[in-house]
Amino acid sequence: MNGSDTLNPELQLNIDEKLHQSGISQSRQKIIQQALENVNRPGFRIEPSAILPLMKPVTWFPPMWAFACGVVSTGESVSHNFSILLRGVILAGPLMCAMSQTMNDYFDREVDAINEPERPIPSGKISKQASWLITFGLILTGFLVALSIHPYVMAIAFVGVLMSHAYSGPPIRAKRNGWYGNLIVGLAYEGVAWLTGSFAITQGVPSTESIALAIIFSLGAHGIMTLNDFKSVVGDKIRKVASIPVQLGEKNAAILASVVMDAAQVAAIAILVAKGSTIPTAIAVTLLVMQLPMQKILIDHPAEKAVWYNAFGTLLYVLSMMVCAVGIRP
């Protein structure tokens, strides 16, 4: 937990220059400068109202949905296994995903000070020391809930913690390169959650189709993560985080994200065709076609439309996940 570093004067001057060059207003620069001081300030501070924003509830849906897809893909009765489903979605979202977000906010606090100075740590509402207390609390609670489902699920939760640290923290800090970092998040949020949902119900190896779909949609989620990085371009450039938009430029990154998400859905549709699932195939094709005009808008105006597409275009992608889960049921 390397969190004691502070900005030296030379680095501070370099940041000041880059903020000025980026065209950020003077008032915004003052907020950022205060945030940069807050992120490494000693002491223990925690405002209860800031705990939930630190956990980023908006990010919980993808792993919760993927876990539910894994459950549905088994063909077992959801109502008869509702307790497992409920504990599983709580584990996937409000516990493990929230844990990954609090951990990421700790390691990313200096980048967030530039990109999102209103976040709990940069704003001074939660100190870096207090953020770790929240993180460890989520880890412990997550392990207990996972154990209540199955011992192997607790082992998977432990792997999830390791993946979160590999993404955010040293020495790996995979998020420094969007190619690797986005892949880890996609696998954790979609693939691991999906397969955990399947295992939690059957307590056996998931079907070949379920494993294939979990991998396919995990790879497709690389595109979703690329779109998510558009909001952080300024801070990523200053802090030398090689996100996909920083490496390729915003237009090329939007093209790549669209192609990756479309390719994943085409591969998933191929599995439905092979399975002979006519109606799910037709629905999945329709959902894919609906995304194409939206992707054109995204590619034409990537910086302005990335958030919009992540809200609406990505919704069609995740709906396709459930359609495919239904389509492979025994």
Side-chain angles (χ1 to χ4, degrees):
M1 304 174 196
N2 180 17
S4 61
D5 51 306
T6 57
L7 296 179
N8 60 56
E10 183 179 347
L11 179 57
Q12 181 66 63
L13 180 61
N14 187 40
I15 291 175
D16 292 344
E17 292 175 353
K18 290 184 177 180
L19 286 174
H20 179 72
Q21 294 169 2
S22 67
I24 296 175
S25 66
Q26 287 291 332
S27 59
R28 183 69 173 177
Q29 287 185 44
K30 290 181 179 178
I31 295 173
I32 292 173
Q33 296 297 352
Q34 181 60 58
L36 287 169
E37 294 179 12
N38 290 338
V39 294
N40 287 313
R41 183 178 297 166
F44 187 92
R45 301 177 308 282
I46 183 167
E47 292 186 15
S49 62
I51 295 176
L52 191 59
L54 182 72
M55 296 160 61
K56 288 187 180 178
V58 71
T59 66
W60 299 351
F61 175 75
M64 294 169 69
W65 184 256
F67 185 93
C69 287
V71 170
V72 169
S73 71
T74 65
E76 299 292 333
S77 170
V78 173
S79 60
H80 290 166
N81 295 282
F82 183 74
S83 174
I84 293 177
L85 174 62
L86 179 61
R87 281 176 284 162
V89 296
I90 291 173
L91 173 67
L95 293 175
M96 299 310 294
C97 181
M99 173 277 301
S100 72
Q101 295 300 330
T102 60
M103 184 183 295
N104 182 69
D105 267 28
Y106 171 83
F107 288 115
D108 239 19
R109 61 193 185 277
E110 291 176 354
V111 177
D112 284 346
I114 299 171
N115 292 323
E116 301 177 90
E118 300 84 7
R119 293 289 302 153
I121 298 177
S123 66
K125 296 177 181 177
I126 295 180
S127 64
K128 62 181 183 181
Q129 294 88 348
S131 72
W132 271 111
L133 178 64
I134 298 169
T135 298
F136 284 127
L138 290 169
I139 291 173
L140 178 59
T141 307
F143 284 171
L144 292 175
V145 172
L147 182 61
S148 76
I149 299 174
H150 194 280
Y152 285 173
V153 175
M154 189 177 77
I156 295 171
F158 179 73
V159 172
V161 173
L162 296 180
M163 292 177 73
S164 296
H165 192 276
Y167 173 74
S168 301
I172 299 176
R173 193 160 165 76
K175 75 168 299 172
R176 288 180 297 187
N177 188 304
W179 297 105
Y180 310 124
N182 292 359
L183 180 60
I184 287 179
V185 174
L187 289 171
Y189 280 22
E190 308 295 352
V192 172
W194 179 305
L195 295 177
T196 303
S198 178
F199 172 82
I201 299 299
T202 64
Q203 297 187 9
V205 178
S207 67
T208 301
E209 294 92 346
S210 187
I211 293 173
L213 287 178
I215 295 173
I216 286 168
F217 283 114
S218 293
L219 296 176
H222 193 287
I224 298 175
M225 292 304 300
T226 294
L227 295 176
N228 189 57
D229 286 337
F230 274 74
K231 70 180 188 302
S232 307
V233 171
V234 173
D236 288 347
K237 286 181 177 179
I238 292 175
R239 281 299 189 180
K240 302 188 185 303
V241 176
S243 66
I244 302 299
V246 169
Q247 292 188 55
L248 302 183
E250 293 174 348
K251 185 178 183 66
N252 288 335
I255 293 173
L256 176 68
S258 300
V259 169
V260 168
M261 294 170 69
D262 291 350
Q265 291 171 87
V266 169
I269 290 169
I271 291 176
L272 295 180
V273 171
K275 186 76 174 176
S277 301
T278 305
I279 295 178
T281 298
I283 297 174
V285 169
T286 301
L287 290 171
L288 174 57
V289 171
M290 290 172 63
Q291 294 169 57
L292 300 180
M294 301 173 71
Q295 289 172 354
K296 184 179 186 308
I297 295 173
L298 168 68
I299 293 169
D300 289 342
H301 308 282
E304 297 84 359
K305 294 298 182 179
V307 174
W308 166 80
Y309 188 86
N310 237 348
F312 297 103
T314 300
L315 174 62
L316 301 178
Y317 177 93
V318 299
L319 287 176
S320 183
M321 291 173 59
M322 185 59 78
V323 170
C324 293
V326 172
I328 65 168
R329 287 163 64 95

